[in-house]
Structure formats: C-alpha cells, structure tokens
Amino acid sequence: MPALRHLRAEGRRMGATPYLSIVIPVYNEEENVRRLQEQVTAAVDPLGIEYEVIYVDDGSRDRSFEILRELASGNPRMRLIRFRRNFGQTPAMAAGFDAARGEVIVPLDADLQNDPVDIPRLLAKLEEGYDVVSGWRQKRQDKGLTRRLPSMIANALIARSTGVRIHDYGCTLKAYRASVLKDVRLYGEMHRFIPAWAALEGARVTEMPVTHHPRTAGKSKYGLSRTFRVILDLMVVRFLGGYGTKPIHLFGGMGFTLCGAGILTGLITLYQKFFEGIKAHRNPLLMLAVFLFLLGVQAIMLGLLAELGIRTYHESQGKPIYRIAEMVNFEKAPAPVDS
Ligand code: UDP
Ligand code: MG
C-alpha cells in the first residue's frame, strides 16, 4: 500500500513513539481477548509501523483482565487500563483516547465482530488526507429487528440532523487523527457521535466499508433501550452543535413564538367578548392565552439561564468558540492551533 510506505519510514525514525494507538474497550470478553490480540498482531505487525494496543477493562467480572495481564507481560506493545467498576463503553474508549500516544487512533470492539484486518486500509485512507475514516458495517451481522432496524433509524436521524452523511455511526472501528480527538469530550453514549463532533470542529470525514462478523463468544451488552439513549444524546449533540454558543436564539425563538401565540389567543378572546358576546371567563381560550404566554416567558428565561451556563462552560474549560487551523505571522495564538 503506497500511502503507508512513508509511515513505515517514519515509524522507524520515531523509535519508541507509536504512530498508531489501537484502543479496545473490554467488558466480560474472556473468550475473545486472546484471539483478538492474535488477530491484531497478525494484521498490524506486517505494516512495520510503531504501534501500541491499549485495552481498557471496563470493570469485567470474568477473567478478561487476568488474561490480558498475562498477555501483556510478554508484550510491551500492550498497555492495560482497568476501571474500578463498569462505567460503560464510552468512558472506556475515552480513557483509551486519553492514554493514547499515537498520531492515529483506531478504536475496536473486543468481541471479534470488528476485524483488525481492516486497519491497514483505514490507515491508508486516512493518509489520503482525512481526519476521520468511519467504518461502515455494510453487511452487519446482528439481529435485524432489535439491532439493525433501530440502528438504521438512528443513523438516518443522526446523519440528517448533523449533516454528516455517513452510514454507520455505531461502528466502533474507525480511524481518527489524534488531534481531532484531543478536543472531544465524551459523555453518555457519545462515542458514536465523534465523527459529527469532529466535522463540526472542521475535520474532514469519510467512510469505508469494513468487515463485520457475528458474535461467536460472550454476550452483547446492549438491547433495544440503547436506541432511546442514542436519540436523546443526538438531541444534545444537535443542540450543542447548532446552538451551543447561542442558546438564547433557540429558547428565545421558542419564547417569542409562544408569547406571540398567547397574545394572539388573548386578542381572539377579546374579539369574541366584544363582538360575539362570549364572556371571557367562560371562554377556554383565555386559559390557553395565559398558558401560552407564561410558557413563552419561561422559555426566554430558560434561554437566559442557558446563556449563563454556556459562558461558564466555555470559560472554565478554556474552550474557544472557534477552531483555528493555522496562523501566519502571529507570535502567540489566541487558542490552541490544531496541528
Ligand atoms: N463494552 C464495554 N463496556 C460496556 C459495554 C460494552 O467496554 O459497558 C465493550 C464490549 O466489551 C465490546 C464493545 O464495548 O468490546 C461493544 O460491545 P457489544 O459487542 O456488547 O456491543 P454490540 O456490538 O452488540 O453493539
Ligand atoms: Mg459487538
């Protein structure tokens, strides 16, 4: 693969600093980890690049971590993190991202459903000049009704509302340039939204079909309920992406609309009183008018509170409201420049 040739040279030059960090969340996968590590080695060793494999044990209650520890004792490329309890796949991935030293980060499921064989292709695609290459499980091997259908709906919703048109947000196997992940803070089931986040921050995102196998050992950790959590998370992402720095525009807009509807309803009530002889206190529209107007005022108040919140959020974390790619003839950058 020509795109990978210069990586090889670079890998040798850099010596110990890995070019690639593979991040694997593990929760009760004792039957899988051994073979997984073999597969990763078989897929990545031939590339001749420096790499590390970071396993994050998310509070497994089986022998996953013992097996990993045993494997890692003979393999310095393997680095392990063990959580005190089960925190969830997203925190596990976040811990791996934080620990990763590579320029490129590739997360992977531990259950052998993703195939490490795809990693070289993802890397090559990334080297064509992308910041995110998203895996697309074109032939997904999961149950149709409880897994594939909800996921299709969620993917369509996410793609529509974020404007980042990739097919498979849920696929863990993706390749990221580390600089893109540096600014992403993950909450909830958010790991699937990283491509959308990244695109909002100005990253170049593309996708590529990847292999997907049925789960042969261990159990899936999720069911139908995840779909609802994903949709709620989507609302958060959409909100932060669209109105994250100007919440009053959303709440204020709603507030004005509601107040306007309240005033209109009030006017109708008055009209009916004076011209149609309907007594206002007998007219249900009066209640509606008051109700709408108060809701509108509430929405505006909520917007003002959100404005306060958003200032705390951006300033306490030193989060700029923009992202700079490059600066010329400046001594000091006002915000960290993405490399
Ligand atoms: N996982 C985790 N913590 C959890 C749930 C899952 O680290 O609380 C890991 C799990 O071990 C696997 C990956 O996340 O490596 C994906 O989980 P799973 O295969 O159950 O999800 P599915 O493929 O069914 O969507
Ligand atoms: Mg799985």
Side-chain angles (χ1 to χ4, degrees):
M1 243 167 277
L4 287 178
R5 204 168 298 139
H6 80 275
L7 290 184
R8 265 169 231 163
E10 227 164 68
R12 268 195 294 276
R13 228 183 315 119
M14 289 188 304
T17 328
Y19 162 76
L20 169 67
S21 298
I22 298 174
V23 171
I24 308 183
V26 179
Y27 181 48
N28 295 343
E29 307 281 3
E30 59 184 359
E31 294 112 315
N32 294 319
V33 283
R34 212 177 276 278
R35 202 143 70 83
L36 175 69
Q37 178 56 31
E38 282 166 21
Q39 286 186 3
V40 169
T41 311
V44 185
D45 266 359
L47 298 179
I49 54 174
E50 274 307 321
Y51 73 98
E52 62 181 3
V53 192
I54 302 176
Y55 287 89
V56 185
D57 180 279
D58 185 15
S60 294
R61 279 184 286 268
D62 63 0
R63 296 195 61 247
S64 302
F65 194 74
E66 278 96 276
I67 298 170
L68 285 171
R69 198 200 296 274
E70 178 196 321
L71 293 173
S73 69
N75 184 353
R77 289 194 199 283
M78 283 176 66
R79 300 168 77 209
L80 312 182
I81 297 172
R82 187 167 63 86
F83 280 177
R84 287 186 181 275
R85 64 166 171 86
N86 178 242
F87 282 90
Q89 187 182 352
T90 297
M93 288 170 68
F97 294 160
D98 289 341
R101 295 172 297 183
E103 276 167 56
V104 172
I105 301 181
V106 174
L108 191 69
D109 277 349
D111 56 2
L112 305 170
Q113 290 199 268
N114 295 138
D115 199 328
V117 168
D118 291 318
I119 294 177
R121 287 194 305 126
L122 289 170
L123 294 182
K125 188 82 184 169
L126 201 70
E127 287 305 317
E128 283 174 23
Y130 292 100
D131 300 307
V132 179
V133 182
S134 172
W136 172 16
R137 297 165 292 181
Q138 225 167 5
K139 301 197 180 71
R140 187 164 167 190
Q141 307 288 333
D142 277 319
K143 279 201 211 86
L145 204 61
T146 54
R147 303 303 302 275
R148 294 222 306 270
L149 183 69
S151 143
M152 263 169 62
I153 297 170
N155 278 316
L157 277 175
I158 301 173
R160 260 194 82 89
S161 56
T162 61
V164 183
R165 301 205 176 271
I166 57 177
H167 288 86
D168 192 0
Y169 277 90
C171 181
T172 308
L173 178 58
K174 297 181 188 324
Y176 301 100
R177 217 158 267 295
S179 55
V180 165
L181 289 178
K182 194 179 67 209
D183 296 318
V184 182
R185 284 277 146 257
L186 301 172
Y187 300 96
E189 286 278 325
M190 293 287 192
H191 63 86
R192 71 192 60 248
F193 295 106
I194 303 171
W197 270 129
L200 287 171
E201 307 253 322
R204 286 150 300 178
V205 179
T206 187
E207 69 179 348
M208 165 179 267
V210 293
T211 343
H212 195 242
H213 303 292
R215 207 186 230 280
T216 50
K219 277 204 284 291
S220 170
K221 279 55 181 196
Y222 303 105
L224 196 57
S225 68
R226 179 170 65 183
T227 313
F228 296 103
R229 295 201 295 270
V230 167
I231 288 171
L232 290 172
D233 283 342
L234 170 64
M235 286 168 55
V236 177
V237 170
R238 175 88 180 94
F239 173 71
L240 289 180
Y243 297 97
T245 55
K246 44 180 179 351
I248 191 73
H249 290 192
L250 177 70
F251 290 109
M254 269 161 51
F256 280 148
T257 313
L258 287 166
C259 282
I263 291 169
L264 193 73
T265 319
L267 288 175
I268 295 173
T269 318
L270 283 179
Y271 176 87
Q272 290 181 338
K273 176 183 161 69
F274 290 116
F275 296 99
E276 293 174 7
I278 304 176
K279 291 213 163 61
H281 68 279
R282 298 243 164 127
N283 192 343
L285 282 184
L286 182 63
M287 288 292 284
L288 188 64
V290 174
F291 189 60
L292 286 172
F293 192 80
L294 284 182
L295 266 185
V297 173
Q298 285 290 307
I300 294 172
M301 291 299 176
L302 207 59
L304 290 173
L305 276 182
E307 285 286 328
L308 281 182
I310 223 74
R311 278 164 179 64
T312 318
Y313 169 71
H314 280 278
E315 281 158 30
S316 65
Q317 297 186 21
K319 266 175 116 50
I321 56 170
Y322 49 80
R323 293 266 169 264
I324 296 173
E326 196 178 331
M327 295 179 79
V328 177
N329 288 348
F330 270 81
E331 267 152 32
K332 192 167 162 284
V337 176
D338 298 334
S339 51

PDB file of all heavy atoms in Angstrom, residues 5 32 78 107 125 151 154 171 199 204 207 214 220 255 298 315 339:
ATOM      1  N   ARG A   5       3.779   3.631   2.875  1.00  0.00           N
ATOM      2  CA  ARG A   5       5.227   3.436   2.808  1.00  0.00           C
ATOM      3  C   ARG A   5       5.973   4.468   3.654  1.00  0.00           C
ATOM      4  O   ARG A   5       6.843   4.131   4.435  1.00  0.00           O
ATOM      5  CB  ARG A   5       5.703   3.486   1.357  1.00  0.00           C
ATOM      6  CG  ARG A   5       7.012   2.747   1.179  1.00  0.00           C
ATOM      7  CD  ARG A   5       7.329   2.540  -0.287  1.00  0.00           C
ATOM      8  NE  ARG A   5       6.342   1.723  -0.967  1.00  0.00           N
ATOM      9  CZ  ARG A   5       5.889   1.978  -2.205  1.00  0.00           C
ATOM     10  NH1 ARG A   5       6.324   3.030  -2.869  1.00  0.00           N
ATOM     11  NH2 ARG A   5       5.006   1.193  -2.768  1.00  0.00           N
ATOM     12  N   ASN A  32     -12.749 -13.943  24.203  1.00  0.00           N
ATOM     13  CA  ASN A  32     -12.368 -13.273  22.956  1.00  0.00           C
ATOM     14  C   ASN A  32     -10.988 -12.624  22.961  1.00  0.00           C
ATOM     15  O   ASN A  32     -10.350 -12.518  21.926  1.00  0.00           O
ATOM     16  CB  ASN A  32     -13.399 -12.200  22.599  1.00  0.00           C
ATOM     17  CG  ASN A  32     -14.755 -12.794  22.266  1.00  0.00           C
ATOM     18  OD1 ASN A  32     -14.834 -13.814  21.586  1.00  0.00           O
ATOM     19  ND2 ASN A  32     -15.807 -12.187  22.761  1.00  0.00           N
ATOM     20  N   MET A  78       1.455  -3.912  24.363  1.00  0.00           N
ATOM     21  CA  MET A  78       0.136  -3.925  25.008  1.00  0.00           C
ATOM     22  C   MET A  78       0.185  -3.078  26.263  1.00  0.00           C
ATOM     23  O   MET A  78       1.053  -3.233  27.098  1.00  0.00           O
ATOM     24  CB  MET A  78      -0.254  -5.357  25.394  1.00  0.00           C
ATOM     25  CG  MET A  78      -0.724  -6.192  24.225  1.00  0.00           C
ATOM     26  SD  MET A  78      -1.061  -7.888  24.730  1.00  0.00           S
ATOM     27  CE  MET A  78      -2.463  -7.687  25.816  1.00  0.00           C
ATOM     28  N   PRO A 107     -10.111   2.848  17.409  1.00  0.00           N
ATOM     29  CA  PRO A 107     -10.838   2.040  18.382  1.00  0.00           C
ATOM     30  C   PRO A 107     -11.419   0.788  17.730  1.00  0.00           C
ATOM     31  O   PRO A 107     -11.657   0.772  16.525  1.00  0.00           O
ATOM     32  CB  PRO A 107     -11.957   2.965  18.860  1.00  0.00           C
ATOM     33  CG  PRO A 107     -12.140   3.951  17.774  1.00  0.00           C
ATOM     34  CD  PRO A 107     -10.867   4.029  16.994  1.00  0.00           C
ATOM     35  N   LYS A 125      -6.456   5.073   3.947  1.00  0.00           N
ATOM     36  CA  LYS A 125      -7.472   6.072   3.588  1.00  0.00           C
ATOM     37  C   LYS A 125      -7.215   7.375   4.344  1.00  0.00           C
ATOM     38  O   LYS A 125      -7.295   8.471   3.783  1.00  0.00           O
ATOM     39  CB  LYS A 125      -8.853   5.515   3.943  1.00  0.00           C
ATOM     40  CG  LYS A 125     -10.011   6.341   3.456  1.00  0.00           C
ATOM     41  CD  LYS A 125     -10.295   6.034   2.011  1.00  0.00           C
ATOM     42  CE  LYS A 125     -11.404   6.928   1.489  1.00  0.00           C
ATOM     43  NZ  LYS A 125     -11.529   6.833   0.038  1.00  0.00           N
ATOM     44  N   SER A 151     -30.964   0.791  14.587  1.00  0.00           N
ATOM     45  CA  SER A 151     -29.709   1.448  14.240  1.00  0.00           C
ATOM     46  C   SER A 151     -29.836   2.188  12.903  1.00  0.00           C
ATOM     47  O   SER A 151     -29.276   3.275  12.728  1.00  0.00           O
ATOM     48  CB  SER A 151     -28.598   0.402  14.222  1.00  0.00           C
ATOM     49  OG  SER A 151     -27.692   0.663  13.204  1.00  0.00           O
ATOM     50  N   ALA A 154     -31.671   5.355  13.732  1.00  0.00           N
ATOM     51  CA  ALA A 154     -30.794   6.280  14.447  1.00  0.00           C
ATOM     52  C   ALA A 154     -29.756   6.882  13.508  1.00  0.00           C
ATOM     53  O   ALA A 154     -29.518   8.100  13.529  1.00  0.00           O
ATOM     54  CB  ALA A 154     -30.103   5.564  15.606  1.00  0.00           C
ATOM     55  N   CYS A 171     -20.620   1.920  14.378  1.00  0.00           N
ATOM     56  CA  CYS A 171     -19.456   1.056  14.223  1.00  0.00           C
ATOM     57  C   CYS A 171     -18.292   1.606  15.045  1.00  0.00           C
ATOM     58  O   CYS A 171     -17.915   2.764  14.903  1.00  0.00           O
ATOM     59  CB  CYS A 171     -19.071   0.985  12.751  1.00  0.00           C
ATOM     60  SG  CYS A 171     -17.667  -0.067  12.424  1.00  0.00           S
ATOM     61  N   ALA A 199     -16.612  16.819  12.608  1.00  0.00           N
ATOM     62  CA  ALA A 199     -16.969  17.601  11.423  1.00  0.00           C
ATOM     63  C   ALA A 199     -17.372  19.019  11.828  1.00  0.00           C
ATOM     64  O   ALA A 199     -17.035  19.995  11.151  1.00  0.00           O
ATOM     65  CB  ALA A 199     -18.100  16.927  10.658  1.00  0.00           C
ATOM     66  N   ARG A 204     -12.086  16.722   8.279  1.00  0.00           N
ATOM     67  CA  ARG A 204     -12.536  16.060   7.045  1.00  0.00           C
ATOM     68  C   ARG A 204     -12.890  14.612   7.362  1.00  0.00           C
ATOM     69  O   ARG A 204     -12.063  13.857   7.860  1.00  0.00           O
ATOM     70  CB  ARG A 204     -11.427  16.118   5.988  1.00  0.00           C
ATOM     71  CG  ARG A 204     -11.244  17.491   5.363  1.00  0.00           C
ATOM     72  CD  ARG A 204      -9.833  17.730   4.936  1.00  0.00           C
ATOM     73  NE  ARG A 204      -8.926  17.642   6.106  1.00  0.00           N
ATOM     74  CZ  ARG A 204      -7.606  17.766   6.024  1.00  0.00           C
ATOM     75  NH1 ARG A 204      -7.035  17.948   4.872  1.00  0.00           N
ATOM     76  NH2 ARG A 204      -6.864  17.681   7.122  1.00  0.00           N
ATOM     77  N   GLU A 207     -15.911   7.701   4.901  1.00  0.00           N
ATOM     78  CA  GLU A 207     -16.221   6.378   5.425  1.00  0.00           C
ATOM     79  C   GLU A 207     -15.743   5.303   4.467  1.00  0.00           C
ATOM     80  O   GLU A 207     -15.393   5.582   3.316  1.00  0.00           O
ATOM     81  CB  GLU A 207     -17.722   6.224   5.677  1.00  0.00           C
ATOM     82  CG  GLU A 207     -18.568   6.191   4.436  1.00  0.00           C
ATOM     83  CD  GLU A 207     -20.053   5.999   4.758  1.00  0.00           C
ATOM     84  OE1 GLU A 207     -20.388   5.661   5.910  1.00  0.00           O
ATOM     85  OE2 GLU A 207     -20.861   6.196   3.847  1.00  0.00           O
ATOM     86  N   PRO A 214     -20.474 -12.155  12.990  1.00  0.00           N
ATOM     87  CA  PRO A 214     -21.406 -12.375  14.100  1.00  0.00           C
ATOM     88  C   PRO A 214     -20.622 -12.621  15.383  1.00  0.00           C
ATOM     89  O   PRO A 214     -19.473 -13.055  15.342  1.00  0.00           O
ATOM     90  CB  PRO A 214     -22.192 -13.619  13.685  1.00  0.00           C
ATOM     91  CG  PRO A 214     -21.484 -14.211  12.529  1.00  0.00           C
ATOM     92  CD  PRO A 214     -20.527 -13.227  11.984  1.00  0.00           C
ATOM     93  N   SER A 220     -23.741  -9.831  23.902  1.00  0.00           N
ATOM     94  CA  SER A 220     -23.831  -8.402  23.618  1.00  0.00           C
ATOM     95  C   SER A 220     -24.311  -7.688  24.881  1.00  0.00           C
ATOM     96  O   SER A 220     -25.110  -8.219  25.638  1.00  0.00           O
ATOM     97  CB  SER A 220     -24.809  -8.138  22.479  1.00  0.00           C
ATOM     98  OG  SER A 220     -25.033  -6.752  22.392  1.00  0.00           O
ATOM     99  N   GLY A 255     -39.623  31.113  22.793  1.00  0.00           N
ATOM    100  CA  GLY A 255     -40.320  32.019  23.711  1.00  0.00           C
ATOM    101  C   GLY A 255     -41.163  33.031  22.963  1.00  0.00           C
ATOM    102  O   GLY A 255     -42.337  33.235  23.280  1.00  0.00           O
ATOM    103  N   GLN A 298     -41.295  31.702  30.227  1.00  0.00           N
ATOM    104  CA  GLN A 298     -40.417  30.677  30.798  1.00  0.00           C
ATOM    105  C   GLN A 298     -39.292  30.291  29.835  1.00  0.00           C
ATOM    106  O   GLN A 298     -38.141  30.154  30.236  1.00  0.00           O
ATOM    107  CB  GLN A 298     -41.231  29.415  31.119  1.00  0.00           C
ATOM    108  CG  GLN A 298     -42.094  29.540  32.337  1.00  0.00           C
ATOM    109  CD  GLN A 298     -41.274  29.592  33.586  1.00  0.00           C
ATOM    110  OE1 GLN A 298     -40.454  28.721  33.815  1.00  0.00           O
ATOM    111  NE2 GLN A 298     -41.442  30.605  34.394  1.00  0.00           N
ATOM    112  N   GLU A 315     -15.715  29.198  29.433  1.00  0.00           N
ATOM    113  CA  GLU A 315     -14.607  29.905  30.059  1.00  0.00           C
ATOM    114  C   GLU A 315     -13.893  29.069  31.106  1.00  0.00           C
ATOM    115  O   GLU A 315     -12.678  29.111  31.216  1.00  0.00           O
ATOM    116  CB  GLU A 315     -15.091  31.237  30.626  1.00  0.00           C
ATOM    117  CG  GLU A 315     -15.213  32.254  29.505  1.00  0.00           C
ATOM    118  CD  GLU A 315     -16.142  33.398  29.835  1.00  0.00           C
ATOM    119  OE1 GLU A 315     -16.253  33.734  31.019  1.00  0.00           O
ATOM    120  OE2 GLU A 315     -16.752  33.937  28.892  1.00  0.00           O
ATOM    121  N   SER A 339      -2.815  20.869  14.977  1.00  0.00           N
ATOM    122  CA  SER A 339      -1.744  20.559  14.043  1.00  0.00           C
ATOM    123  C   SER A 339      -2.224  19.525  13.051  1.00  0.00           C
ATOM    124  O   SER A 339      -3.193  18.849  13.278  1.00  0.00           O
ATOM    125  CB  SER A 339      -0.534  20.045  14.776  1.00  0.00           C
ATOM    126  OG  SER A 339      -0.926  19.002  15.640  1.00  0.00           O
TER     127      SER A 339
END
